[in-house]
Amino acid sequence: MKFTIETSKSKEEVLRIIKENTHTRTSIFDFKTHEEFFEGRVFDDSFNINRATFRRNDVLPVIKGKIEEIEGGCKVSVKMRMPVFAIIFFSIWIPCGILGGIFVPLAGSVPEQTDFFPFFIPMIGFSLFTFIMFSIYKYEAKKSKEKLEELLK
């Protein structure tokens, strides 16, 4: 997801606001015990952050932003994406689920087999898990976008 926030604030003021609302993690075991809404790193003209949570969440959007001065203020160009781990996981998970959805029912259609097994049940679980994970990502992305817009407007 890409979007742009244009504000009348100066570049320095935008950087200050983002820094004030961003906790810099010191280790992977440094979980939220602070008031900041985001965690990550803020640089001279960009930032790489995600929403801070009290627990681990592997589908929190990675938020990368670039701050540019324009006439009358500045422009913040933001890109949000899933974390690399989640992208790799889903690029394996989804094809395996599709192949399983095709081949498992075919394997169960042997004429001599008399046992009934509802092959659709694992596919419902697979689909439900995928839907929940993508819904969490979309919810977190929306929440992060709203907070960034609120802070910078």
Side-chain angles (χ1 to χ4, degrees):
M1 167 191 295
K2 291 182 184 180
F3 62 95
T4 303
I5 301 171
E6 291 190 16
T7 181
S8 59
K9 295 177 169 81
S10 69
K11 180 178 176 181
E12 291 76 24
E13 193 175 355
V14 168
L15 282 169
R16 181 187 55 75
I17 291 169
I18 293 174
K19 283 180 184 176
E20 286 175 357
N21 289 282
T22 302
H23 170 72
T24 303
R25 286 181 75 173
T26 55
S27 77
I28 60 170
F29 301 108
D30 183 13
F31 294 106
K32 183 177 180 175
T33 58
H34 44 276
E35 297 299 316
E36 292 90 350
F37 192 81
F38 298 105
E39 61 185 11
R41 300 210 182 257
V42 181
F43 306 103
D44 291 337
D45 62 348
S46 63
F47 54 90
N48 189 1
I49 59 177
N50 60 291
R51 199 170 77 75
T53 60
F54 288 103
R55 63 199 177 309
R56 185 164 173 81
N57 184 340
D58 289 325
V59 293
L60 280 176
V62 175
I63 306 165
K64 293 186 179 194
K66 185 160 181 64
I67 304 164
E68 302 172 43
E69 288 187 82
I70 59 171
E71 190 174 322
C74 71
K75 176 174 80 169
V76 182
S77 302
V78 180
K79 292 181 189 176
M80 284 192 206
R81 65 167 175 76
M82 274 192 163
V84 173
F85 170 79
I87 292 169
I88 292 169
F89 175 79
F90 283 115
S91 66
I92 295 169
W93 176 259
I94 291 172
C96 287
I98 291 170
L99 290 174
I102 293 169
F103 291 116
V104 168
L106 293 177
S109 64
V110 178
E112 299 87 35
Q113 187 175 356
T114 58
D115 295 340
F116 172 75
F117 179 74
F119 292 105
F120 61 90
I121 290 176
M123 288 310 298
I124 290 172
F126 169 83
S127 300
L128 187 62
F129 174 78
T130 304
F131 175 76
I132 289 169
M133 291 295 107
F134 278 100
S135 295
I136 291 171
Y137 170 77
K138 293 297 273 182
Y139 170 78
E140 293 293 348
K142 180 181 175 197
K143 197 170 182 179
S144 296
K145 179 181 178 182
E146 288 171 355
K147 185 63 173 182
L148 269 176
E149 288 174 338
E150 173 191 324
L151 289 172
L152 300 178
K153 288 290 178 178

